Amino acid sequence: MKKIQCHGKPYEIGKAHGVEAQEPIRRSISFYQKMFVHTCKLEWNAVREIAKDWQSEIEQKWPRYYHEIQGISDGAGLPFVDILALNIRTEIAFGMFNDGCTSLYWKTQSNSFLA
């Protein structure tokens, strides 16, 4: 397992992380590009557009996190939105996951309902 020592302000920590982990970050993007197509039927550009919708909220509510993502982006030489998408991949995937239909079952004393 790769060990990375990062110190400083959020941007500096992120940049050190991006520089040291550039190749694993690129492999992660490649993996999630395929995963999103398979599980959500979303191409990476669509995932990036969804991630962009979160960008200003993250910057406003969690500026330290935002600056660290910017540092990772700069350190790895990758677009900010790609690093952002990696960091909110679960929120995107669960929000967009499409695996079929949904069912509902409700049982009372006298009836059962299935929809």
Side-chain angles (χ1 to χ4, degrees):
M1 178 172 285
K2 187 172 195 74
K3 183 177 179 180
I4 302 170
Q5 294 286 337
C6 302
H7 305 280
K9 293 182 179 182
Y11 178 85
E12 296 162 334
I13 291 169
K15 188 161 186 183
H17 184 170
V19 167
E20 293 296 321
Q22 183 180 33
E23 189 54 36
I25 293 167
R26 290 180 184 277
R27 286 194 311 262
S28 291
I29 291 170
S30 178
F31 172 83
Y32 283 105
Q33 285 174 334
K34 294 171 189 159
M35 187 216 69
F36 274 105
V37 168
H38 179 73
T39 62
C40 305
K41 311 296 186 255
L42 288 175
E43 296 292 334
W44 190 246
N45 283 335
V47 172
R48 293 168 103 201
E49 290 301 314
I50 294 166
K52 284 179 187 177
D53 290 341
W54 292 62
Q55 188 169 338
S56 64
E57 184 172 357
I58 291 171
E59 184 177 19
Q60 291 172 10
K61 291 184 178 179
W62 304 285
R64 294 175 60 85
Y65 185 55
Y66 181 89
H67 293 300
E68 188 170 338
I69 292 171
Q70 185 64 62
I72 295 168
S73 167
D74 292 346
L78 294 165
F80 176 91
V81 71
D82 285 355
I83 306 303
L84 178 59
L86 284 180
N87 281 273
I88 62 171
R89 65 192 178 272
T90 303
E91 290 80 1
I92 295 171
F94 284 133
M96 304 302 292
F97 186 74
N98 183 0
D99 70 342
C101 63
T102 301
S103 63
L104 170 69
Y105 175 75
W106 178 36
K107 183 176 180 179
T108 68
Q109 293 276 343
S110 58
N111 294 306
S112 294
F113 300 93
L114 180 62

Coordinates of all heavy atoms in Angstrom, one line a residue, residues 32-72:
Y32 N -13.9 4.0 -12.7 CA -15.2 4.5 -12.5 C -15.9 4.9 -13.8 O -17.1 4.9 -13.9 CB -15.2 5.7 -11.4 CG -15.1 5.1 -10.0 CD1 -13.9 5.1 -9.3 CD2 -16.1 4.4 -9.5 CE1 -13.7 4.6 -8.1 CE2 -16.0 3.8 -8.2 CZ -14.8 3.9 -7.5 OH -14.7 3.3 -6.3
Q33 N -15.1 5.2 -14.8 CA -15.7 5.5 -16.1 C -16.4 4.2 -16.5 O -17.6 4.3 -17.0 CB -14.6 5.8 -17.1 CG -14.1 7.2 -17.0 CD -12.9 7.5 -18.0 OE1 -12.2 6.5 -18.4 NE2 -12.7 8.7 -18.3
K34 N -15.8 3.1 -16.4 CA -16.4 1.8 -16.8 C -17.6 1.5 -15.9 O -18.6 1.0 -16.3 CB -15.4 0.7 -16.8 CG -14.3 0.9 -17.8 CD -13.2 -0.1 -17.7 CE -12.1 0.3 -18.6 NZ -10.8 -0.2 -18.2
M35 N -17.4 1.7 -14.6 CA -18.5 1.3 -13.6 C -19.7 2.1 -13.9 O -20.8 1.6 -13.8 CB -18.0 1.6 -12.2 CG -19.0 1.1 -11.1 SD -19.2 2.1 -9.6 CE -19.9 3.6 -10.2
F36 N -19.6 3.4 -14.1 CA -20.8 4.3 -14.4 C -21.5 3.8 -15.6 O -22.7 3.8 -15.7 CB -20.4 5.8 -14.4 CG -20.4 6.4 -13.1 CD1 -19.2 6.7 -12.5 CD2 -21.6 6.7 -12.4 CE1 -19.2 7.3 -11.2 CE2 -21.6 7.3 -11.2 CZ -20.4 7.6 -10.6
V37 N -20.8 3.5 -16.7 CA -21.5 3.0 -17.9 C -22.2 1.7 -17.6 O -23.4 1.6 -18.0 CB -20.4 2.8 -19.0 CG1 -21.1 2.0 -20.2 CG2 -19.9 4.1 -19.5
H38 N -21.6 0.8 -16.8 CA -22.2 -0.5 -16.5 C -23.4 -0.4 -15.6 O -24.5 -0.9 -15.8 CB -21.2 -1.4 -15.9 CG -21.7 -2.8 -15.6 ND1 -22.0 -3.7 -16.6 CD2 -22.0 -3.3 -14.4 CE1 -22.5 -4.8 -15.9 NE2 -22.5 -4.6 -14.6
T39 N -23.3 0.4 -14.5 CA -24.3 0.4 -13.5 C -25.4 1.5 -13.7 O -26.5 1.3 -13.3 CB -23.7 0.6 -12.1 OG1 -23.1 1.8 -12.0 CG2 -22.8 -0.5 -11.7
C40 N -25.0 2.6 -14.3 CA -25.9 3.7 -14.4 C -26.2 4.2 -15.8 O -26.9 5.1 -16.0 CB -25.4 4.9 -13.6 SG -24.9 4.6 -11.9
K41 N -25.5 3.5 -16.8 CA -25.7 3.9 -18.2 C -25.2 5.3 -18.4 O -25.8 6.0 -19.2 CB -27.1 3.7 -18.7 CG -27.7 2.3 -18.4 CD -26.9 1.2 -19.0 CE -27.6 -0.1 -18.8 NZ -27.0 -1.0 -17.8
L42 N -24.2 5.8 -17.7 CA -23.7 7.2 -17.8 C -22.3 7.2 -18.3 O -21.4 6.5 -17.7 CB -23.7 7.9 -16.5 CG -25.1 8.3 -15.9 CD1 -24.9 8.9 -14.5 CD2 -25.8 9.3 -16.8
E43 N -22.1 7.9 -19.4 CA -20.7 8.1 -19.9 C -20.0 9.1 -18.9 O -20.7 9.9 -18.2 CB -20.7 8.7 -21.3 CG -21.3 7.8 -22.3 CD -20.4 6.5 -22.6 OE1 -19.2 6.6 -22.4 OE2 -21.0 5.5 -23.0
W44 N -18.7 9.1 -18.9 CA -18.0 10.0 -17.9 C -18.3 11.4 -18.1 O -18.4 12.2 -17.1 CB -16.5 9.7 -18.1 CG -15.7 10.3 -17.0 CD1 -14.8 11.4 -17.1 CD2 -15.7 10.0 -15.6 NE1 -14.2 11.7 -15.9 CE2 -14.8 10.9 -14.9 CE3 -16.4 9.1 -14.8 CZ2 -14.5 10.8 -13.6 CZ3 -16.1 9.0 -13.5 CH2 -15.2 9.9 -12.8
N45 N -18.5 11.9 -19.3 CA -18.9 13.3 -19.5 C -20.2 13.7 -18.8 O -20.3 14.8 -18.2 CB -18.9 13.7 -21.0 CG -17.5 13.9 -21.6 OD1 -16.6 14.2 -20.9 ND2 -17.4 13.7 -22.9
A46 N -21.1 12.8 -18.8 CA -22.4 13.0 -18.1 C -22.1 13.0 -16.5 O -22.7 13.8 -15.8 CB -23.4 11.9 -18.4
V47 N -21.3 12.1 -16.1 CA -20.9 12.1 -14.6 C -20.3 13.4 -14.3 O -20.6 14.0 -13.2 CB -20.0 10.9 -14.3 CG1 -19.4 11.0 -12.9 CG2 -20.7 9.6 -14.6
R48 N -19.4 13.9 -15.1 CA -18.7 15.2 -14.9 C -19.7 16.3 -14.8 O -19.6 17.2 -13.9 CB -17.7 15.5 -16.0 CG -16.5 14.5 -16.0 CD -15.8 14.6 -17.2 NE -14.5 15.4 -16.9 CZ -13.8 16.0 -17.8 NH1 -14.2 16.0 -19.1 NH2 -12.7 16.7 -17.5
E49 N -20.7 16.3 -15.6 CA -21.8 17.4 -15.6 C -22.5 17.3 -14.3 O -22.9 18.4 -13.7 CB -22.7 17.2 -16.8 CG -22.1 17.6 -18.1 CD -21.5 19.0 -18.1 OE1 -22.2 20.0 -17.7 OE2 -20.4 19.2 -18.6
I50 N -22.9 16.1 -13.8 CA -23.5 16.0 -12.5 C -22.7 16.5 -11.4 O -23.1 17.2 -10.5 CB -23.9 14.5 -12.3 CG1 -25.0 14.1 -13.3 CG2 -24.5 14.3 -10.8 CD1 -25.2 12.6 -13.4
A51 N -21.4 16.2 -11.5 CA -20.4 16.6 -10.4 C -20.3 18.2 -10.4 O -20.3 18.8 -9.4 CB -19.1 16.0 -10.7
K52 N -20.4 18.8 -11.6 CA -20.3 20.2 -11.7 C -21.4 20.9 -10.9 O -21.3 22.0 -10.3 CB -20.3 20.7 -13.1 CG -19.1 20.5 -13.9 CD -19.2 21.0 -15.3 CE -18.0 20.6 -16.1 NZ -18.2 21.0 -17.6
D53 N -22.6 20.2 -10.9 CA -23.8 20.8 -10.2 C -23.5 20.9 -8.7 O -24.2 21.6 -8.0 CB -25.0 19.9 -10.4 CG -25.5 20.0 -11.8 OD1 -25.2 21.0 -12.5 OD2 -26.3 19.1 -12.2
W54 N -22.6 20.0 -8.1 CA -22.2 20.0 -6.7 C -21.1 21.0 -6.4 O -20.9 21.3 -5.2 CB -21.8 18.6 -6.3 CG -22.9 17.6 -6.4 CD1 -23.6 17.1 -7.4 CD2 -23.3 16.8 -5.3 NE1 -24.4 16.2 -7.1 CE2 -24.3 15.9 -5.8 CE3 -23.0 16.8 -3.9 CZ2 -24.9 15.0 -4.9 CZ3 -23.6 15.8 -3.1 CH2 -24.6 15.0 -3.6
Q55 N -20.4 21.5 -7.4 CA -19.1 22.2 -7.1 C -19.3 23.4 -6.3 O -18.6 23.6 -5.3 CB -18.5 22.6 -8.5 CG -17.1 23.2 -8.4 CD -16.5 23.3 -9.7 OE1 -16.8 22.6 -10.7 NE2 -15.5 24.2 -9.8
S56 N -20.3 24.3 -6.6 CA -20.4 25.5 -5.8 C -20.9 25.3 -4.4 O -20.5 25.9 -3.5 CB -21.4 26.5 -6.5 OG -22.7 26.0 -6.6
E57 N -21.8 24.3 -4.2 CA -22.2 23.9 -2.9 C -21.1 23.4 -2.0 O -20.9 23.8 -0.8 CB -23.3 22.9 -2.9 CG -23.9 22.6 -1.5 CD -25.1 21.7 -1.6 OE1 -25.6 21.3 -2.7 OE2 -25.6 21.4 -0.5
I58 N -20.2 22.6 -2.6 CA -19.1 22.1 -1.8 C -18.1 23.3 -1.5 O -17.6 23.4 -0.4 CB -18.3 21.0 -2.6 CG1 -19.2 19.7 -2.6 CG2 -17.0 20.7 -2.0 CD1 -18.8 18.6 -3.5
E59 N -17.9 24.1 -2.4 CA -17.0 25.3 -2.2 C -17.6 26.2 -1.1 O -16.8 26.7 -0.2 CB -16.9 26.1 -3.5 CG -15.9 27.3 -3.3 CD -15.7 28.0 -4.6 OE1 -16.5 27.9 -5.6 OE2 -14.7 28.7 -4.7
Q60 N -18.9 26.4 -1.1 CA -19.5 27.2 0.0 C -19.5 26.6 1.3 O -19.2 27.2 2.3 CB -20.9 27.6 -0.5 CG -20.9 28.6 -1.6 CD -22.3 28.8 -2.1 OE1 -23.3 28.4 -1.5 NE2 -22.4 29.5 -3.3
K61 N -20.0 25.3 1.4 CA -20.2 24.7 2.7 C -18.9 24.0 3.3 O -18.8 23.9 4.5 CB -21.2 23.6 2.5 CG -22.6 24.1 2.3 CD -23.7 23.0 2.3 CE -25.1 23.6 2.1 NZ -26.0 22.5 2.0
W62 N -18.0 23.6 2.4 CA -16.8 22.9 2.9 C -15.6 23.4 2.1 O -15.0 22.7 1.3 CB -17.0 21.4 2.7 CG -18.2 20.8 3.3 CD1 -18.4 20.6 4.7 CD2 -19.4 20.4 2.7 NE1 -19.6 20.1 4.9 CE2 -20.3 20.0 3.7 CE3 -19.9 20.4 1.4 CZ2 -21.6 19.5 3.5 CZ3 -21.1 19.9 1.1 CH2 -22.0 19.5 2.2
P63 N -15.2 24.6 2.3 CA -14.1 25.2 1.5 C -12.8 24.5 1.7 O -12.0 24.4 0.7 CB -14.0 26.7 2.0 CG -14.8 26.7 3.3 CD -15.8 25.6 3.3
R64 N -12.5 23.9 2.9 CA -11.3 23.2 3.0 C -11.2 22.0 2.1 O -10.2 21.7 1.5 CB -11.1 22.8 4.5 CG -10.9 24.1 5.4 CD -10.8 23.7 6.9 NE -9.7 22.8 7.2 CZ -8.5 23.1 7.5 NH1 -8.2 24.4 7.5 NH2 -7.6 22.2 7.8
Y65 N -12.3 21.3 2.1 CA -12.5 20.1 1.2 C -12.3 20.5 -0.2 O -11.6 19.9 -1.0 CB -13.8 19.5 1.5 CG -14.1 18.2 0.8 CD1 -13.3 17.1 1.0 CD2 -15.3 18.0 0.1 CE1 -13.5 15.8 0.4 CE2 -15.5 16.8 -0.5 CZ -14.7 15.7 -0.4 OH -15.0 14.5 -1.0
Y66 N -12.9 21.6 -0.6 CA -12.9 22.1 -2.0 C -11.4 22.4 -2.4 O -10.9 22.0 -3.4 CB -13.7 23.3 -2.1 CG -13.8 23.9 -3.5 CD1 -14.7 23.5 -4.4 CD2 -12.9 24.9 -3.8 CE1 -14.7 24.1 -5.7 CE2 -12.9 25.5 -5.1 CZ -13.8 25.0 -6.0 OH -13.8 25.6 -7.3
H67 N -10.7 23.1 -1.5 CA -9.3 23.5 -1.7 C -8.4 22.2 -1.8 O -7.5 22.2 -2.6 CB -8.8 24.5 -0.7 CG -9.5 25.8 -0.8 ND1 -9.4 26.6 -1.9 CD2 -10.2 26.5 0.1 CE1 -10.1 27.7 -1.7 NE2 -10.6 27.6 -0.5
E68 N -8.7 21.2 -1.0 CA -7.9 20.0 -1.1 C -8.1 19.3 -2.4 O -7.2 18.8 -3.0 CB -8.2 19.1 0.1 CG -7.3 17.9 0.1 CD -7.5 17.1 1.4 OE1 -8.0 17.6 2.4 OE2 -7.1 15.9 1.4
I69 N -9.4 19.3 -2.9 CA -9.7 18.7 -4.2 C -8.9 19.4 -5.3 O -8.4 18.9 -6.2 CB -11.2 18.6 -4.5 CG1 -11.9 17.6 -3.5 CG2 -11.5 18.2 -5.9 CD1 -13.4 17.7 -3.6
Q70 N -8.9 20.8 -5.2 CA -8.2 21.6 -6.2 C -6.7 21.2 -6.2 O -6.1 21.1 -7.2 CB -8.4 23.1 -5.9 CG -7.8 24.0 -6.9 CD -8.4 23.8 -8.3 OE1 -9.6 24.1 -8.5 NE2 -7.6 23.4 -9.3
G71 N -6.2 21.1 -5.0 CA -4.8 20.7 -4.9 C -4.5 19.3 -5.5 O -3.5 19.1 -6.2
I72 N -5.4 18.3 -5.3 CA -5.2 17.0 -5.9 C -5.2 17.2 -7.4 O -4.4 16.6 -8.1 CB -6.3 16.0 -5.4 CG1 -6.1 15.8 -3.9 CG2 -6.2 14.7 -6.2 CD1 -7.3 15.0 -3.3

